[in-house]
Amino acid sequence: MRGFRSYLRRESRAWRVASSSGFAALGLALALLLVATPAAAQTGTVQGTIVAAGSGLGISGAQVSIVGTDIGTATGRDGSFVLLNVPAGQHTVRAVAIGFKVGTLQLAVQGGQVTQADLRLTRSVLELDAVVVTGTAGQARVREVGNTIGQIDLQATVKDPPQNVDQLLQARVPGLQVMQSNGNAGAGASIRLRGPVSTSQSNQPIIYIDGVRVRSEGYRRNGPPNGIDFIGRSGNIQSSPLNDINPADIERIEVIKGSAASTLYGTEAAAGVIQIFTKKGARGGAPQWTAQVDQGFARTLPFGTAGDDFVRLAPPDNSVGFCPDKVAEGLAQFEAGGTLPDLSTTINGVGAPACSWLRNGWRQKYSGSVSGGVGDFQYFLAGGYEDNEGTLPMDQEQKVTTRGNFTFSILDNLRVDWNTSFTNFDVFNTPAGNNAQGLTLNAFRAERNYRQSNNPYVIDSLLNQEITTEINRFISGGTVYYTPVSWFSNRVTIGWDQAQQENRNLRPFGFVSAPEGRLFDEQISFTTLTFDYVGNVDYRASDEFNGTFSFGGQSITTEENRIFGWGRGFPGPGAPTVTNAATFISQEDRIRVVNAGFFFQNVFKFRDRWFLTGGIRVDGNSAFGSDLGLQAYPKASLSYVISDESFWPASLGEVKLRGALGWSGRAPGAFDAVRTWEAVPFAGDPAFVPDNPGNPEIGPERTREIEFGLDAALVNSRVSVEFTWYNQKTTDALFSVRQAPSNGILTSRTANVGAIRNAGIEASVNAAIIDSPNWGFDLGTNVYTNKSLVLDLGEAVPFGAGGGWVEEGFPVMGADGLVIKNPNQVAEPDSLCIVGVDPCNASGNYIFGPQQPEIIWGINGTVRFPKGITLSARGEYQGGAWIFDSAADNALSRSVIWPLCANAEAILAGGGTVDQFTARERVECQTPISSRADDALWFPQDFFKLRDITLTIPFGTLIPRTQSATLSLSAQNFVRWINSDLRMFDPEMSSRNSLDEQNREISEHIPPPAVFTASLRITF
């Protein structure tokens, strides 16, 4: 109770921060509002066409607006636009389009009349006048921003039909790592920006959709908690909230990768920010309908030892067919009086089925949308349905998405955006991963599995269970834009994100490994509430010097409510509930965290080429200790468009220099500050014992980042270059610190004592090598490097956490284990780690390296043919990281005949002895393996994958009554290269909670499949 009262006091304090900051900001806004009330005026219409200079072709999708108002629209396919209800008087029309310089035109609008406004835009790949939102207080031009912001524009840069948002993000932005977890249905991907900034908190970036903060951590894995039932009894996958969004609804994505840019997001943004903007309607535009149909299939490519299938799930030639089908045929023969055939076989001395549990999974997706506008009202409505089979026999996912985005221009200076989406996501999983009652583990371990047989009839009996997850997610948010006068704008956003997840895990009555039956049912509610206010005051001191002063406040409240029931022992077959069980238990958990703060920022602008930004964010958080107080996060940045100077030769193109310095944080766990007590029964009476010691001084981890870089458009804007050097240091890192036993609590407490660092570069080059009216060839590449280092442990001692090692002088969450210096010699293993010669930790283990990539290299290219046909490809290499092969460790420790030891098994089968084993084989392949053998199963996880190759064929207006039709043929992940030192499996086959965990390890999963898709998109 004491801990609960402390928790409520901290929540109350955080709410006071929110209210005081909110009232201060609103008070200042109201004071400014009193000085300016717009006068009524007659209105007119502005219409025209936006075309490309040189070719004269209309530019589709250009954003056209009246400067100083909220009046704007997007151009149609021919570049035409119409702006209604423009106040009479002198105005500036502004046009912005991707790949072009901004265009402006001065004109006089007369009431009741139509004014013509035609603009010709010059090509530019640098896009200095494009508008960005993320990391700024309101909108800002690219030229004004002193830090790098990665941008993905789906209309301009995405050629393939992405399967989900995880796949959409892969290999598109330098510094952004997207690592798929496995090939099971519903599995999400872990996302990291510029390396690990924490060893104890999540490193997933925070997510915004249309200005509304939404859940970024992975959904809860479907499975009973440890201590009630073995934790692995499930499909062992974690779904990503990002994949609730239909990629077809997205207009663009902005990514900020570090603290220098994320100051305005405060205590929870040290791992970066991803902001997604969905599509909107066009003002005064006629309805535009879009329909899309995707059909395709997923196929698991051969994996396992080099050049061979891992034959325990499928024989190399798949000649006998699909195992469940063969088992059904065999059972029919048996019931007709025959005998059960033995479908097991031996391939190269390794037990394997003569049929396959892997299938080609059919994938289908249907989506449609309509957008347009009537007067001052714009709309975008969309819906989608997809039904995808996995490549494992029980895997399937079904998803329904709906979206409604509406814009109301109530007055010339008052606009309301309201965006709402709903997703229903159902996942059916095959029991997989490290699951003793699952398919993959028992197939991997063949005759030494938990069923003691590799006969498909025996293993197939494990498929008689149900593992289902249903997620219903509703996101709704409204933003009000009010500009009482041209120099003062206001934005208020209120948003709500709620996800309801139900996990159901049933092993029915009569199940082979639990005959009495067991049922786990879990209900979880995730809620995020956003309140955000920003005010911007534009001022001008002279023709050459002006600026923007911004202020605002923000409050983010997250809640997680969880209740589950578990029961065993059912009276008979049927559809059980937990209360039908002979024995059942339940549990309830509730977590509520409030983060609130306010900020001030000023941008000084000199001659529209020098931009100096300074600001500060102040936060309170309910997870902070009671003795901590508020936390301040300052920022400063400089941007200089040197190519705008008169001395700059035009032949050198456009160049922008930039630099930024900023701080942000990562809050501690919800109850790290609180002394808590664990309820335990004693002789039938309620009682409790000490649990978490608590820390009243605990606060956020603080990450300081400095970055410098440049952006350039060279060779007549045919080559774009981006380069960034960054260095980030996390101080007050949260480590576990041992306590004196005399205080009565034996557990460690979490404290702000450590320091870690990440440093590296990001670079990208994109070139239009051939650019003619009918032919084109664009080639691009990007590279990202990162070196992480533990700088200081403070009061903590070196420790292992989440499968990684933390010690001064070594990479963050390092891979530590047993090194074999002479692996291929027929000799005793040399495994001595010599301090001063080798990277040895305090325990005498070898530090192989980091578990996160030190280099990511991406390459992309597009070939443009006559008739608008394009062929595009995108590949990605990740290197420098190490991964632990937990699947091999589990198998070898149980004396399973394993492919890594095929040579050793052949030696013994031929009458040889252990003396003929190599040093590595003596560690890994003796039966039983030594107690330290598992420490040697670290491997480099370097790989290259062709993430996508797509052929796009436009049909134009060949289909009657349509504006356009496009057919895309796409293949993802069907070409790959894996470092031969990673002797088995695929690095994207990781453990059950891979989205949130700090480390990665290979588990008994399957790799992400190759996906082949045909997509037809029609607009009319």
Side-chain angles (χ1 to χ4, degrees):
M1 181 61 70
R2 175 185 174 186
F4 187 64
R5 287 197 299 268
S6 299
Y7 172 61
L8 290 180
R9 284 198 296 272
R10 284 194 308 282
E11 275 211 328
S12 176
R13 180 161 53 87
W15 274 113
R16 289 198 298 272
V17 172
S19 60
S20 62
S21 63
F23 288 140
L26 289 174
L28 180 57
L30 290 173
L32 291 169
L33 288 175
L34 293 175
V35 306
T37 301
Q42 285 187 313
T43 62
T45 299
V46 175
Q47 68 178 23
T49 304
I50 310 299
V51 301
S55 69
L57 297 176
I59 301 173
S60 173
Q63 299 297 316
V64 185
S65 61
I66 302 295
V67 177
T69 75
D70 286 326
I71 301 174
T73 189
T75 58
R77 287 181 54 82
D78 59 354
S80 62
F81 70 92
V82 177
L83 298 174
L84 304 175
N85 300 321
V86 180
Q90 293 291 325
H91 291 287
T92 300
V93 176
R94 184 172 184 267
V96 179
I98 293 173
F100 295 87
K101 293 182 179 180
V102 68
T104 59
L105 178 67
Q106 305 291 326
L107 50 76
V109 177
Q110 297 182 4
Q113 296 187 18
V114 176
T115 304
Q116 190 71 20
D118 299 321
L119 286 89
R120 304 176 73 84
L121 303 187
T122 304
R123 290 193 176 275
S124 170
V125 295
L126 200 54
E127 300 181 71
L128 291 173
D129 293 294
V131 173
V132 293
V133 174
T134 308
T136 66
Q139 294 185 342
R141 293 175 298 164
V142 170
R143 66 171 56 236
E144 301 174 14
V145 181
N147 51 265
T148 177
I149 296 180
Q151 299 183 68
I152 303 173
D153 188 285
L154 270 71
Q155 289 185 341
T157 63
V158 178
K159 306 297 182 184
D160 55 295
Q163 303 299 315
N164 50 46
V165 178
D166 285 346
Q167 189 264 336
L168 168 64
L169 293 173
Q170 284 180 325
R172 297 195 192 272
V173 176
L176 172 62
Q177 178 205 356
V178 181
M179 193 79 164
Q180 293 174 280
S181 54
N182 55 71
N184 301 54
S190 65
I191 298 175
R192 300 291 183 265
L193 292 166
R194 291 184 176 172
V197 296
S198 176
T199 64
S200 60
Q201 308 302 306
S202 171
N203 282 291
Q204 288 278 103
I206 59 175
I207 310 295
Y208 281 78
I209 301 177
D210 295 319
V212 174
R213 173 78 174 273
V214 299
R215 180 174 176 82
S216 57
E217 308 304 318
Y219 287 119
R220 187 176 288 273
R221 184 187 59 84
N222 183 342
N226 201 11
I228 294 176
D229 198 357
F230 184 70
I231 195 168
R233 308 279 195 246
S234 72
N236 284 303
I237 64 106
Q238 195 176 16
S239 296
S240 170
L242 266 179
N243 293 334
D244 295 340
I245 310 164
N246 187 350
D249 296 344
I250 298 175
E251 180 179 87
R252 74 183 194 280
I253 299 174
E254 295 179 0
V255 180
I256 56 176
K257 292 166 275 190
S259 301
S262 58
T263 297
L264 297 180
Y265 298 91
T267 294
E268 298 173 295
V273 181
I274 295 176
Q275 184 137 215
I276 298 172
F277 301 89
T278 59
K279 296 177 180 178
K280 301 183 183 299
R283 188 166 186 173
Q288 184 177 75
W289 298 81
T290 300
Q292 182 169 327
V293 177
D294 298 354
Q295 299 288 306
F297 66 93
R299 179 179 177 83
T300 298
L301 300 179
F303 68 101
T305 53
D308 189 16
D309 276 332
F310 190 61
V311 296
R312 300 177 192 188
L313 278 174
D317 57 1
N318 290 325
S319 58
V320 179
F322 189 48
C323 267
D325 293 341
K326 291 298 175 183
V327 172
E329 294 173 9
L331 289 175
Q333 295 173 13
F334 176 74
E335 292 173 355
T339 59
L340 284 175
D342 185 0
L343 293 182
S344 62
T345 186
T346 299
I347 300 177
N348 296 329
V350 178
C355 55
S356 176
W357 276 290
L358 297 173
R359 64 182 178 182
N360 290 333
W362 185 255
R363 303 176 66 88
Q364 52 185 328
K365 182 177 181 180
Y366 310 90
S367 60
S369 66
V370 58
S371 64
V374 179
D376 295 326
F377 171 69
Q378 299 106 61
Y379 58 88
F380 173 79
L381 300 171
Y385 169 76
E386 56 185 291
D387 185 359
N388 301 321
E389 291 181 342
T391 58
L392 287 173
M394 298 169 62
D395 272 18
Q396 188 165 21
E397 57 183 33
Q398 296 176 335
K399 186 184 299 183
V400 175
T401 60
T402 60
R403 173 170 294 279
N405 293 348
F406 307 98
T407 298
F408 308 87
S409 298
I410 300 174
L411 299 171
D412 295 338
N413 56 3
L414 178 63
R415 189 181 93 232
V416 178
D417 288 352
W418 176 36
N419 302 326
T420 300
S421 67
F422 173 78
T423 302
N424 172 259
F425 184 37
D426 291 329
V427 181
F428 308 85
N429 278 127
T430 304
N434 189 5
N435 181 350
Q437 296 172 11
L439 168 65
T440 50
L441 180 147
N442 283 281
F444 281 14
R445 299 185 191 173
E447 67 282 347
R448 296 198 59 87
N449 58 26
Y450 286 91
R451 302 297 300 143
Q452 299 297 308
S453 173
N454 65 352
N455 189 319
Y457 288 100
V458 177
I459 297 178
D460 232 51
S461 63
L462 295 170
L463 300 182
N464 182 30
Q465 51 184 301
E466 298 176 15
I467 302 173
T468 61
T469 296
E470 181 179 9
I471 299 170
N472 290 303
R473 190 175 187 193
F474 179 77
I475 303 174
S476 186
T479 301
V480 178
Y481 301 88
Y482 182 42
T483 308
V485 287
S486 61
W487 51 267
F488 179 39
S489 62
N490 301 267
R491 186 193 74 203
V492 177
T493 299
I494 298 176
W496 184 46
D497 172 24
Q498 184 172 56
Q500 299 282 353
Q501 179 180 0
E502 180 182 15
N503 292 325
R504 190 168 179 85
N505 194 317
L506 171 65
R507 280 160 282 160
F509 180 84
F511 180 69
V512 63
S513 295
E516 78 281 16
R518 297 185 181 185
L519 174 63
F520 170 76
D521 192 89
E522 180 179 42
Q523 306 275 345
I524 317 131
S525 172
F526 306 98
T527 303
T528 303
L529 181 64
T530 302
F531 172 80
D532 193 351
Y533 167 77
V534 175
N536 291 284
V537 177
D538 296 320
Y539 57 89
R540 179 175 294 276
S542 67
D543 291 340
E544 293 189 334
F545 181 78
N546 62 319
T548 300
F549 174 70
S550 305
F551 56 93
Q554 184 186 69
S555 173
I556 305 294
T557 303
T558 60
E559 291 189 51
E560 179 177 332
N561 300 325
R562 172 178 176 249
I563 186 169
F564 73 80
W566 177 88
R568 69 179 179 186
F570 298 110
T577 62
V578 171
T579 53
N580 293 147
T583 302
F584 60 87
I585 59 174
S586 63
Q587 181 174 316
E588 181 181 14
D589 299 312
R590 292 178 178 269
I591 298 175
R592 187 169 189 257
V593 176
V594 180
N595 188 84
F598 58 91
F599 75 89
F600 299 97
Q601 175 183 287
N602 193 82
V603 183
F604 297 101
K605 309 174 186 180
F606 179 64
R607 299 176 61 192
D608 204 35
R609 65 197 62 168
W610 289 91
F611 304 91
L612 176 63
T613 302
I616 190 169
R617 161 92 180 214
V618 180
D619 267 2
N621 189 289
S622 60
F624 292 173
S626 56
D627 297 342
L628 183 70
L630 303 179
Q631 292 290 291
Y633 305 100
K635 69 172 290 186
S637 68
L638 176 67
S639 173
Y640 176 33
V641 185
I642 190 173
S643 57
D644 281 357
E645 298 288 2
S646 58
F647 61 77
W648 187 263
S651 59
L652 295 182
E654 300 175 282
V655 176
K656 167 190 160 183
L657 306 177
R658 49 181 168 76
L661 171 68
W663 281 258
S664 62
R666 205 63 164 171
F671 295 102
D672 285 348
V674 183
R675 172 164 291 189
T676 60
W677 311 88
E678 182 180 1
V680 295
F682 180 76
D685 294 324
F688 60 84
V689 296
D691 188 17
N692 178 44
N695 182 357
E697 298 178 349
I698 199 170
E701 299 176 310
R702 294 175 58 86
T703 300
R704 178 231 67 195
E705 183 179 72
I706 183 170
E707 69 170 53
F708 295 103
L710 63 85
D711 304 316
L714 311 173
V715 194
N716 295 322
S717 288
R718 294 180 61 173
V719 178
S720 66
V721 177
E722 176 185 312
F723 177 83
T724 303
W725 170 86
Y726 68 92
N727 185 299
Q728 57 180 214
K729 180 180 179 181
T730 298
T731 56
D732 297 329
L734 293 165
F735 294 160
S736 293
V737 178
R738 295 175 181 174
Q739 302 299 295
S742 57
N743 66 11
I745 297 180
L746 302 180
T747 57
S748 299
R749 77 170 185 173
T750 304
N752 301 99
V753 296
I756 62 178
R757 185 188 70 198
N758 289 280
I761 63 168
E762 298 163 354
S764 65
V765 179
N766 295 280
I769 296 175
I770 300 175
D771 187 16
S772 66
N774 293 322
W775 295 88
F777 177 40
D778 298 337
L779 183 64
T781 184
N782 61 74
V783 65
Y784 151 76
T785 68
N786 181 75
K787 291 283 188 180
S788 68
L789 186 67
V790 178
L791 300 175
D792 188 6
L793 290 179
E795 303 170 34
V797 297
F799 62 93
W805 186 256
V806 181
E807 184 177 342
E808 292 177 10
F810 294 108
V812 179
M813 303 299 291
D816 75 309
L818 180 71
V819 64
I820 304 175
K821 298 181 179 180
N822 57 337
N824 299 317
Q825 291 182 4
V826 179
E828 287 298 317
D830 177 7
S831 59
L832 181 63
C833 190
I834 305 173
V835 177
V837 176
D838 301 318
C840 307
N841 66 14
S843 301
N845 278 353
Y846 186 88
I847 303 295
F848 293 94
Q851 297 188 57
Q852 296 291 329
E854 291 188 321
I855 182 170
I856 299 178
W857 171 68
I859 185 169
N860 62 86
T862 300
V863 180
R864 180 165 45 86
F865 301 95
K867 307 294 185 182
I869 299 173
T870 62
L871 177 65
S872 61
R874 177 169 47 96
E876 179 183 44
Y877 166 81
Q878 296 189 19
W882 290 77
I883 192 167
F884 182 69
D885 190 346
S886 179
D889 174 38
N890 290 331
L892 292 171
S893 64
R894 291 162 173 81
S895 301
V896 174
I897 298 175
W898 200 245
L900 290 181
C901 297
N903 181 66
E905 293 290 341
I907 290 173
L908 296 179
T913 65
V914 173
D915 293 337
Q916 296 172 262
F917 285 9
T918 65
R920 180 179 287 280
E921 289 169 343
R922 297 185 191 195
V923 172
E924 297 176 353
C925 304
Q926 295 192 61
T927 303
I929 63 174
S930 65
S931 59
R932 296 195 67 203
D934 58 344
D935 292 338
L937 294 169
W938 286 96
F939 301 103
Q941 58 170 303
D942 307 348
F943 71 90
F944 173 85
K945 293 190 177 182
L946 187 62
R947 294 300 190 185
D948 170 80
I949 182 168
T950 298
L951 176 66
T952 303
I953 306 171
F955 291 102
T957 57
L958 293 180
I959 300 177
R961 304 177 65 85
T962 64
Q963 293 184 8
S964 65
T966 303
L967 175 66
S968 298
L969 305 175
S970 180
Q972 282 111 21
N973 288 325
F974 83 104
V975 173
R976 67 187 179 195
W977 169 88
I978 297 174
N979 190 326
S980 59
D981 289 338
L982 178 56
R983 294 176 291 157
M984 290 191 61
F985 300 132
D986 184 299
E988 294 186 303
M989 288 173 56
S990 58
S991 54
R992 50 184 169 260
N993 292 324
S994 56
L995 274 68
D996 301 334
E997 290 176 344
Q998 307 294 347
N999 70 308
R1000 295 183 61 83
E1001 62 179 39
I1002 293 174
S1003 188
E1004 291 86 349
H1005 279 296
I1006 60 172
V1011 178
F1012 303 88
T1013 306
S1015 176
L1016 178 63
R1017 181 181 177 89
I1018 301 174
T1019 302
F1020 51 94

